[in-house]
Structure formats: structure tokens, C-alpha cells
Amino acid sequence: MASTIQAAAVSHVGKVRSNNQDSAFAGRQLFVVADGMGGHAGGDVASALAVTRIKDADKQPYASPQDAEYALRAALVAANALLSETVFEHPELTGMGTTVSALLRVGDTLAMAHIGDSRIYLWRDDALEQVTSDHTFVQRLVDSGRITAEEALTHPRRSVLMRVLGDVDAHPEIDTSILETRPGDRWLLCSDGLSSYVSEELITKTMAESADPERTADALVKHSLDSGAPDNVTVVVLDVREGTADRPTPPTTVGAAAAPLAFESDSGRRAVRLPNLLLHPLRATTTREAEFEPESDEYLELLIAEDRRRAVRRKITWLVGVILVALGVLIAAVLGYQWTQSRYYVGASDGSVAIYRGVQQGVGPFALSSVYDTTDLEVADLRPYYQSQVEGTISANSLSEARDIVERLQNAAAD
Ligand code: CA
């Protein structure tokens, strides 16, 4: 059956970032999203170089899906080599890298190539299915059953990537496959600026709202902007339709790859260190910058062990905090009690005038005073004015001041 593709690509810098490090391409048969990383001006170079290099795969027809799959893999490997060469010539770009998720169409099949945490979804029969799997640290934890998919959403290391194209690995591990497609299918390629901030429920709903891929792409980007868009957001929407197109969509390049490549060294650019997390705790950033960790089982174990130590440290910090607060409260209570016991007052006890040690006020059911000394002066022998004074208690700053008060009362009673 003859089928045709209508596609749209949209990229937005977002509301927080100062530059767009995403790139995307929607061609005649090739569709690519790349999300670059590497500081102030390395990520845009990485994704732009990769997309520009991979775009070459749009130029010729492929005899079979296998040919297309091979060509796509070769294009990603070539892009990886290009990034290494570029870093060799521009050492200030050391550490730049990029994700790539790409589809290359041959008839009713799509060759897929993927590395990193950009995603490809298939929307078919009103259901959304994620076709790619994230090459992230948290996805490895989910796959190995160490955490749940829900825990992955809020994991402190959720932006740590295990695989990207860049200057680190000469033989990056790229996922490829051949997917079957049919009229009515709608494919979505997106950077994590969409998938990390817009729920799959809302993506699914948005996919159903309009038959126009351009509108759908715009609506998806708008949802990310509405959620604050802390990251660059890029989407490619492609619809597989019956028949041949009367007006095929012209190839579109968006994001960093759409701008002229400028990577002359500038002062604002900073080299990005690679495995640095073991030495530095995660920075508390509101916009989570993607970080790259080369993938190996030993390294993964190290990261997991470090997470465990961090959890233990957090628990210890919390316990020490609780103990310190409790100690503080206890010391304040002891000092407060000691102070009350330096105070005296004169009052009545069993009808006699007595000197009390402490303060008249108690704390809840606890009295903070006790009779220190009872005199043989009866309250009843005092004149009414002094009687009410004693019953209401008379404060004294010291024991001798209390004794002076008692003496004055005795003198007044004797008069
Ligand atoms: Ca991103």
C-alpha cells in the first residue's frame, strides 16, 4: 500500500535556559532529535554537528529496511567520530555530547537508531507506547529491579546519562531496530524537555487532538512551556498516511542545527569535566543539567554504592540533628529551672507567712516553687492590706530580700 509521511519539527529554548542545545530534523524519510550537553556552548555544537552529519542519510533511497538500519547506525558512528575530531581541534569543547533518536523510513518500515534519553513514541489506536528505552542511570536501576518507575521520576540522579555520542567512547553502544508502521500511525520524537515535564497522559491526549502534525507539535511544546519549561524542548511529529502526498513537506531543521555553527572559543564557554559526581555531591540546581557517566557495570556499582552511602549519611545527619535539638531543649530547660530556683517570694502556707523558693508560675502540672522557710507569723494576724498582699504573693530577687519582706511584715503586725 502506498503511504506518505507528513511531519513537523518544533524546538524551543524553554523558559530558563539561555541557549538551545537541542537540534532536530524532519526530512523526506529521515527524522532526528538530538539533545546536546556540555556547558555553556558545547551542547549546541554537539547536537548541531550530530544532526548535520546524520542528515546525509536522508539523501539516498534504501533498498531494504536492513540497509536503512545499517546506514543509520553508520551515520551515528560517523557523528560520534566527528564530535571527537571537533573536540581534538577545539579542546574547550571537551566533554560535549549529545543524545540522538532517529527514524529512517523505507516503505512501511522504519529503521530506528537511539542513544541517550531522548525518546521515540508510537501513538496507535489512541494508545501511546515508548519505543526507545532511556540510557540513564535510573533506567538501569529500574531494569535491575532496584527502584520502581515511580521512584525514578524523582530520583536525584535522574538526569545522569550512561550513553551518549561524544568524545569519550570511540565505539558507542547504539540501539537499532526495524519497526513496522502503517497508515494512521503517529510517531513522536522528543527531547527530555518534553518527556520529563509533560505527563504521558497529556502527551497521549494531545496526540489525539489534531490531525495536523504541525499543530500537535506546537501544542506539545506549549504544554512544556506551561509547566515552566526548565529545559530546551524539541519535538518531531510524523504521521503515516495512505496514498501519495500532493504536497510533500519540505525538510525542516530546528534548534541549534538551524543556526550557523559558531564554536570559536569564547570566554563564557567552559570545559565540562566528565566523571565528577563521585567527588562532588549533586548540585542543587532547579534546572537539571544532563550529566554524562560512561557506562560500565563496575561504574554502575560504584554509583549505586555511593547512593547508598549518601542515604546512610542523610539518615545520620537527620539523627544527629534530632539529638542536637533534643539536647538544646534539655539544656534550655535545665538552665531555665536553675534560674527559677534563684528566685524567692513570700506567700502563705497553711495560714503562716512563708518564704518560697522558685517562681509563682508553674509549667503545666509542674510547680516551679517549694516552701523554703515557714515563719511563726500567722497571716490572720496581719492587717487586711498585708493579708491580701501575702495571699497574692510578694516577689523577691534574693533570699535576703525575702527575709527583709518578712521582717517588715512582722514589724507591721507588731505595731
Ligand atoms: Ca534536555
Side-chain angles (χ1 to χ4, degrees), residues 7 21 30 32 47 72 91 95 120-121 128 135 151 159 212 215 243 246 248 251 268 272 294 316 321 340 392:
Q21 305 196 332
L30 174 74
V32 191
S47 75
L72 200 50
I120 300 177
Y121 289 96
L128 192 72
H135 298 149
E151 286 167 332
S159 53
D212 178 7
R215 275 199 181 172
D246 26 304
V272 168
I316 291 174
T340 64

Side-chain angles (χ1 to χ4, degrees), residues 15 42 45 48 108 166 175 192 200 216 253 276 297 315 344 354 364 406:
K15 289 192 169 171
V45 173
D108 53 5
D175 292 349
D192 68 335
E200 289 197 355
T216 304
T253 306
N276 58 354
D297 283 341
K315 211 166 276 173
Y344 293 86
V406 170

Side-chain angles (χ1 to χ4, degrees), residues 138-139 141-143 146-155:
V138 289
Q139 189 57 46
L141 294 183
V142 171
D143 293 345
R146 292 180 206 255
I147 62 170
T148 64
E150 287 68 43
E151 286 167 332
L153 293 175
T154 54
H155 196 280

Side-chain angles (χ1 to χ4, degrees), residues 17 22 35-36 117-118 191-193 197 231-233 288 290:
R17 296 286 173 86
D22 287 358
D35 176 353
D117 70 344
S118 298
S191 64
D192 68 335
Y197 305 103
D231 199 1
N232 309 141
V233 51
R288 16 180 227 103

Side-chain angles (χ1 to χ4, degrees), residues 95-295:
M96 72 169 172
T98 185
T99 73
V100 173
S101 297
L103 290 173
L104 180 54
R105 176 191 173 228
V106 181
D108 53 5
T109 60
L110 291 166
M112 185 274 284
H114 163 74
I115 186 165
D117 70 344
S118 298
R119 289 180 175 180
I120 300 177
Y121 289 96
L122 166 61
W123 183 74
R124 175 184 282 176
D125 300 331
D126 266 323
L128 192 72
E129 180 200 350
Q130 187 182 336
V131 173
T132 50
S133 91
D134 299 344
H135 298 149
T136 54
F137 172 64
V138 289
Q139 189 57 46
R140 286 285 299 264
L141 294 183
V142 171
D143 293 345
S144 61
R146 292 180 206 255
I147 62 170
T148 64
E150 287 68 43
E151 286 167 332
L153 293 175
T154 54
H155 196 280
R157 284 189 193 281
R158 63 193 180 281
S159 53
V160 173
L161 290 168
M162 306 297 285
R163 293 193 231 163
V164 287
L165 297 188
D167 62 323
V168 179
D169 191 350
H171 305 283
E173 211 182 318
I174 299 162
D175 292 349
T176 65
S177 62
I178 295 169
L179 309 160
E180 160 277 328
T181 190
R182 60 186 189 224
D185 283 351
R186 173 169 266 189
W187 297 82
L188 167 66
L189 296 81
C190 65
S191 64
D192 68 335
L194 179 78
S195 51
S196 291
Y197 305 103
V198 180
S199 71
E200 289 197 355
E201 289 72 32
L202 185 52
I203 292 176
T204 311
K205 193 171 150 271
T206 310
M207 296 290 261
E209 272 166 5
S210 170
D212 178 7
E214 189 92 37
R215 275 199 181 172
T216 304
D218 283 338
L220 289 169
V221 169
K222 186 175 176 302
H223 287 317
S224 180
L225 293 173
D226 289 346
S227 75
D231 199 1
N232 309 141
V233 51
T234 300
V235 303
V236 172
V237 174
L238 53 127
D239 288 346
V240 181
R241 294 184 179 170
E242 251 175 82
T244 46
D246 26 304
R247 188 181 54 82
T249 33
T252 320
T253 306
V254 294
L261 204 56
F263 48 93
E264 289 77 28
S265 179
D266 69 57
S267 57
R269 184 167 291 167
R270 66 180 167 85
V272 168
R273 306 139 300 159
L274 276 177
N276 58 354
L277 285 186
L278 290 177
L279 302 173
H280 305 284
L282 271 181
R283 289 155 293 157
T285 45
T286 44
T287 70
R288 16 180 227 103
E289 181 112 8
E291 308 201 41
F292 169 65
E293 304 283 356
E295 180 169 19

Side-chain angles (χ1 to χ4, degrees), residues 5-53:
I5 284 186
Q6 289 279 313
V10 178
S11 187
H12 196 291
V13 66
K15 289 192 169 171
V16 174
R17 296 286 173 86
S18 58
N19 68 339
N20 194 347
Q21 305 196 332
D22 287 358
S23 293
F25 174 71
R28 286 171 305 149
Q29 52 189 354
L30 174 74
F31 309 89
V32 191
V33 163
D35 176 353
M37 70 207 59
H40 173 66
D44 51 352
V45 173
S47 75
L49 282 175
V51 165
T52 305
R53 177 64 190 80

